[in-house]
Amino acid sequence: KLIRCLGLLVVFVWVASACGGDQADSGPDMRREFLSDVANHNIVPAYALVEILAGPLLTDVEDFCGAPEMVDLGQVRESWDGVRQAWKRAEVFAFGPVKEYPWRYGPKLDLWPVRPEEIEETLVDAPWDETSDLSLVTGFSKGLPAIEYLIYGVSAGATDSESRFINDPQACVYLNLLAQDVYDNAQGLVQAWDPDGEDYVSQLVNAGDGSAAFSRLNKAFSEVINRMGFTAENMRELKLAKAAGIATGFPDPTLLE
């Protein structure tokens, strides 16, 4: 009910803004101030947190892979969960560098659902070492979902998740590369938005006033508001309803993200 109400609220705000066009009907036009606040106090900090948490994930992976027969995967899982939660909270801002070229950091970090068969083929087909290039690997074999599969899944012939890494050193090299790639892409996303970096903040805030990304102020405002509505509906209709079997009558937990 909460998600449905949020969706309806966002739709109401969107309709109000769309009907107003590029001029406020009465009173001061606060849209640019709103965009500035959202960019500087919500979006940039949200992505900065993903980057901050991706650092310990990389460190914990390195520590585990240094002695997989002695170190528990628990700390790696905990760190992964922290990055994942921070990323999902930021999903409401999935526009600009998250989905647009040349950045497209979203699919690099979180292309879901995971495809176990592709990850297993990648492990078998590619000889992995510290210099391997993950850019040659498909998006379904990278990012947070791929790490999740490796640290929670049990491979053929293994008794638990740790066994994979003990029995196959290449799996640990691959896991290290994945964690490094997540950190690098999180860092790149922050740089893309950062006013001291590529400054996508200015593209949003200066919409209709020299912005190459948004020719009109209302386009930028609608992008932010509509993205909130889309995220709420996506959660309700796809992420929850499918797994709950709302349409089919047959719940399927495997569809849960």
Side-chain angles (χ1 to χ4, degrees):
K1 289 182 179 179
L2 176 61
I3 294 174
R4 179 183 290 274
C5 289
L6 175 60
L8 291 174
L9 174 62
V10 170
V11 169
F12 172 78
V13 174
W14 178 84
V15 170
S17 67
C19 289
D22 278 331
Q23 298 294 327
D25 289 336
S26 62
D29 188 345
M30 304 296 289
R31 288 175 298 176
R32 200 176 300 280
E33 182 178 345
F34 166 79
L35 292 174
S36 179
D37 282 347
V38 167
N40 290 294
H41 300 300
N42 295 99
I43 299 176
V44 171
Y47 292 139
L49 181 59
V50 176
E51 179 192 354
I52 289 169
L53 294 175
L57 172 61
L58 177 57
T59 299
D60 290 336
V61 166
E62 291 172 343
D63 290 344
F64 168 75
C65 284
E69 69 284 351
M70 298 176 61
V71 179
D72 194 321
L73 259 176
Q75 186 57 51
V76 174
R77 290 169 175 164
E78 185 176 332
S79 294
W80 175 88
D81 190 58
V83 179
R84 178 71 165 180
Q85 287 191 44
W87 171 253
K88 299 319 289 184
R89 284 194 293 271
E91 191 173 47
V92 71
F93 306 121
F95 61 89
V98 170
K99 67 173 186 176
E100 302 295 342
Y101 290 101
W103 307 285
R104 293 233 355 130
Y105 284 112
K108 295 174 185 176
L109 285 163
D110 188 29
L111 191 56
W112 195 89
V114 68
R115 293 182 180 176
E117 66 282 357
E118 286 198 21
I119 295 175
E120 295 294 350
E121 289 174 5
T122 299
L123 269 168
V124 171
D125 294 343
W128 294 104
D129 60 43
E130 290 76 6
T131 64
S132 297
D133 185 3
L134 276 184
S135 67
L136 304 177
V137 177
T138 68
F140 288 104
S141 296
K142 295 186 287 189
L144 292 169
I147 294 177
E148 178 186 22
Y149 171 75
L150 288 176
I151 64 177
Y152 282 102
V154 178
S155 59
T159 57
D160 51 36
S161 301
E162 285 86 348
S163 298
R164 172 195 288 275
F165 301 103
I166 295 171
N167 299 332
D168 183 8
Q170 286 229 326
C172 245
V173 177
Y174 182 37
L175 181 62
N176 259 303
L177 291 170
L178 291 175
Q180 181 68 60
D181 191 58
V182 164
Y183 178 75
D184 290 344
N185 284 310
Q187 193 173 52
L189 181 55
V190 171
Q191 279 293 107
W193 274 94
D194 195 335
D196 294 325
E198 297 177 69
D199 196 17
Y200 196 82
V201 164
S202 291
Q203 294 294 323
L204 186 67
V205 175
N206 295 327
D209 187 22
S211 170
F214 301 99
S215 59
R216 293 163 49 223
L217 175 60
N218 204 54
K219 286 185 67 175
F221 184 75
S222 296
E223 179 71 61
V224 175
I225 299 300
N226 290 343
R227 185 56 52 182
M228 295 179 185
F230 172 80
T231 303
E233 285 300 288
N234 190 40
M235 289 168 61
R236 183 174 67 86
E237 294 184 0
L238 298 179
K239 297 186 178 188
L240 298 178
K242 275 194 171 182
I246 299 300
T248 63
F250 300 101
D252 185 356
T254 64
L255 298 176
L256 280 171
E257 184 173 4

